[in-house]
Amino acid sequence: MGLLSVASGKKGALSADSQSFSTMSFQQWAEENGFEHCGVFCERNGLMMLECAYGIDTASVFRSISTKDFWLGSARSDTWITIDSESPNYSAFTQFLGTEARSLTKAFRILKISVANGFMIFFEYSYKPIGILRRSQDFSQELKSLMQCRKKILLEKPSLEDTERLLESMTARLCLISTKRALDETVKKIEVSELTIQQTLLNTIFEEIFYKTQKLFAPPAALYSEDIGEIKIAAPISSDTEDETLKEQLSLEYESLIGKEASKKIIILTAGYSSDSEETLDYLLRG
């Protein structure tokens, strides 16, 4: 996979009950539906791995590499599988978790969903008893629709309309958040032989980093990234926060995902201020 492009600042969020997922990220959908930790395994280069995740730490994302044969033998299509510590195949699924997540997990729920080119796997684990895990009769179609629209969202760029809305009544602060050193720190001990696989999993991690960042900047702020590890932000000047304070807030957001030490290595650079919508858009898209 190449660069990950993610944009924010266009439209308001839709309810997960809506049949339209044109503005909803996987992370937003998961959060609104009350999931703790979940993701979707898709096939890449002949292997299955997490293509998107919510509430899943880096170590667990990198442990998600698995074979199609494993999932063919572990789950029937479009049928929920519920697994707890008393289940005979429980350890077969704990292999996908990092050390901390493995020690806390009480249950899994798995759903293999048939798609045109094979199948994908919805994978959920919980730190709470098995009875609380969510189930939906329309889950398969809902998730397929979400995943189809998600790919379009990741390629969407902010528009002049977005920056005009941002600058309607105030100047924008332009800044850059770099998580490259943080990502290097968190994955340096993880050995993945194939570069394309590593890039896929880094995309998965960074997509959630982007979502966590997005939550700290309310609309009409605009965020954009086309380079793994860098997020460009244009936010109303009224939301101006000292870089060190913002770094502390972001570090806390990232900690559960990439670890405490790695989260301290993020860098924030203020690029300046702008009251011109074209200038602001140019910064977001070209820097």
Side-chain angles (χ1 to χ4, degrees), residues 162-224:
D162 296 324
T163 55
E164 287 174 345
R165 186 183 305 116
L166 168 63
L167 297 169
E168 279 179 356
S169 59
M170 59 190 73
T171 300
R173 178 195 186 198
L174 311 178
C175 63
L176 172 75
I177 297 173
S178 175
T179 62
K180 289 185 175 181
R181 288 179 59 211
L183 287 173
D184 287 345
E185 173 71 20
T186 196
V187 303
K188 66 183 180 182
K189 295 181 180 179
I190 301 172
E191 295 183 6
V192 177
S193 58
E194 206 169 318
L195 187 59
T196 53
I197 294 175
Q198 179 175 300
Q199 192 65 52
T200 296
L201 298 176
L202 281 172
N203 283 355
T204 300
I205 295 161
F206 187 66
E207 187 181 327
E208 185 164 4
I209 285 177
F210 185 93
Y211 180 68
K212 287 177 174 291
T213 307
Q214 182 184 46
K215 288 172 65 178
L216 293 180
F217 292 89
L223 289 75
Y224 184 66

Side-chain angles (χ1 to χ4, degrees), residues 8 62 82 137 152 223 239 281:
S8 168
F62 271 88
T82 301
Q137 292 180 338
K152 298 176 184 177
L223 289 75
S239 68
L281 182 63

Side-chain angles (χ1 to χ4, degrees), residues 44-100:
R44 290 291 177 268
N45 304 306
L47 294 170
M48 301 294 290
M49 61 194 77
L50 284 170
E51 186 172 285
C52 53
Y54 174 76
I56 299 182
D57 63 276
T58 300
S60 298
V61 170
F62 271 88
R63 290 181 67 90
S64 71
I65 302 169
S66 50
T67 65
K68 289 181 68 176
D69 286 345
F70 170 84
W71 294 107
L72 287 169
S74 300
R76 290 183 298 167
S77 294
D78 306 311
T79 302
W80 281 104
I81 296 175
T82 301
I83 301 140
D84 63 14
S85 58
E86 301 301 317
S87 303
N89 57 345
Y90 180 72
S91 61
F93 296 94
T94 59
Q95 68 176 307
F96 299 122
L97 304 181
T99 303
E100 183 177 1

